[in-house]
Amino acid sequence: MSSEPGTTKPTDNAFLGPLNGGSLEVAYAGALSFMRRRYSRDLDGIDVAVWGVPLDTAVTNRPGARFGPQAIRRASASLCGDPQYPFNRDPFAELAVVDYGDCAFDYGRHAEIPATIEAQARAILDHGVHLVTLGGDHFVTWPLLRAHAARHGPLAMVQFDAHQDTWDDDGERLDHGSFVARAVRAGVIDPARSIQVGIRTHAPEDCGIAILDAYSVHEQGVASTVERILARVGGAPAYLTVDIDCLDPAFAPGTGTPVAGGLSSAQLLMMLRGLGGVEWRGMDVVEVAPAYDHADITAIAAAAVVQHYLGIIEPKLARGRALEVT
């Protein structure tokens, strides 16, 4: 790249940039893909696809998470271009990551939406691509878990959340508060290997899932919490789901059901940094509702969650690709 006066940096990395390497665009210019990754539906040679599911018809309080993927992409614009903190490396130097756009569904045919999300997720996973999803409300995790379990078998689930989401339903409702109980009954997650972190509400049952409530995290600290998560999950294939309301409203005001007393963004990100040894198979971050946000605080936190996740999965995915080549 020339640095002579009058030269300009390339713009619109989302359409014209290479698959690998950071973007040179300034944070306030260019098309807003996730971390400036190229928009593409071509999954040949791709390691990770970042995908949005803009659904919020299953919320029980404030709506608006349908705008979450859009807000997270906007907040992520400033995260690409330098070595990524705290890993001090560019994950895109080794990983080919694309922004796959958003899930397409008929918003007026609610009963068809879960199967539509699942089918489109399966189509991505069938390419052997690691799927990272931007929600949407937390109901979207239900079809995502089904799609991942169809490929990998029953999964350990690591859930950061203010709520257990284990309320009962008839298996047909669209409800962001019951998907965990449904997933346990369906056998798509293994409760003996699953754990919920940051909980600060009560539900009728725990479905056999371990719970580390927010006060426990505050009292015991990040390192102890990470140890307990790792011990619970063990070597099982795992799925990460992050409801942004696991954070205290001071750090995530832009969400539908905020609960006081939650985690700080630093605690959450530090815990994620410590979970690189888990056999991750996919993840989502959900419940960002930008209409209630201030200065993109919540969206910035959600973008950082995905950036940290890419940082912890990059070494294993890069090694796996190297082994395939040799």
Side-chain angles (χ1 to χ4, degrees), residues 10-305:
T11 58
D12 288 336
N13 200 75
F15 298 112
L16 304 173
L19 283 175
N20 295 104
S23 168
L24 296 173
E25 293 174 77
V26 294
Y28 51 83
L32 295 176
S33 61
F34 184 79
M35 289 184 73
R36 304 294 192 184
R37 296 303 87 201
R38 184 198 299 173
Y39 277 113
S40 178
R41 293 290 171 96
D42 181 0
L43 295 176
D44 289 342
I46 299 303
D47 298 304
V48 181
V50 180
W51 185 51
V53 183
L55 177 77
D56 67 357
T57 54
V59 296
T60 52
N61 196 27
R62 305 187 303 196
R66 68 183 60 184
F67 299 109
Q70 180 182 107
I72 297 169
R73 286 185 174 104
R74 182 176 66 249
S76 76
S78 63
L79 291 177
C80 186
D82 298 317
Q84 298 295 304
Y85 182 84
F87 309 102
N88 196 26
R89 64 179 185 272
D90 176 9
F92 308 126
E94 298 294 336
L95 292 186
V97 181
V98 296
D99 191 320
Y100 197 76
D102 286 347
C103 179
F105 52 83
D106 185 339
Y107 65 87
R109 298 185 181 276
H110 292 187
E112 298 175 3
I113 290 175
T116 299
I117 296 171
E118 181 181 346
Q120 292 180 39
R122 283 196 187 202
I124 297 170
L125 295 171
D126 284 346
H127 280 80
V129 173
H130 198 99
L131 180 58
V132 171
T133 304
L134 315 176
D137 67 47
H138 217 160
F139 176 80
V140 306
T141 303
W142 162 241
L144 290 171
L145 284 170
R146 283 177 54 89
H148 283 80
R151 184 170 183 86
H152 302 293
L155 297 157
M157 181 186 69
V158 178
Q159 177 183 354
F160 289 90
D161 207 322
H163 311 88
Q164 294 173 245
D165 298 328
T166 54
W167 295 89
D168 195 22
D169 68 25
D170 60 4
E172 300 295 330
R173 301 174 67 249
L174 270 69
D175 184 345
H176 69 165
S178 59
F179 80 91
V180 173
R182 192 184 297 189
V184 171
R185 289 197 304 268
V188 299
I189 62 173
D190 178 1
R193 290 293 192 182
S194 297
I195 189 166
Q196 298 174 319
V197 184
I199 303 299
R200 48 198 188 277
T201 53
H202 295 292
E205 59 177 322
D206 60 23
C207 295
I209 297 171
I211 296 173
L212 295 178
D213 65 29
Y215 291 179
S216 296
V217 176
H218 294 317
E219 291 168 352
Q220 298 172 12
V222 167
S224 175
T225 304
V226 168
E227 288 178 4
R228 294 184 65 180
I229 296 170
L230 293 174
R232 183 72 174 184
V233 174
Y239 187 88
L240 173 68
T241 179
V242 178
D243 187 327
I244 207 65
D245 72 19
C246 71
L247 300 180
D248 188 86
F251 302 93
T255 192
T257 313
V259 182
L263 309 177
S264 71
S265 55
Q267 286 175 312
L268 173 59
L269 296 174
M270 290 170 70
M271 282 187 275
L272 290 177
R273 181 185 62 174
L275 297 176
V278 175
E279 294 296 326
W280 296 115
R281 296 294 184 266
M283 71 88 68
D284 61 60
V285 58
V286 298
E287 299 285 359
V288 173
Y292 315 107
D293 211 358
H294 172 71
D296 288 337
I297 294 172
T298 311
I300 289 168
V305 164

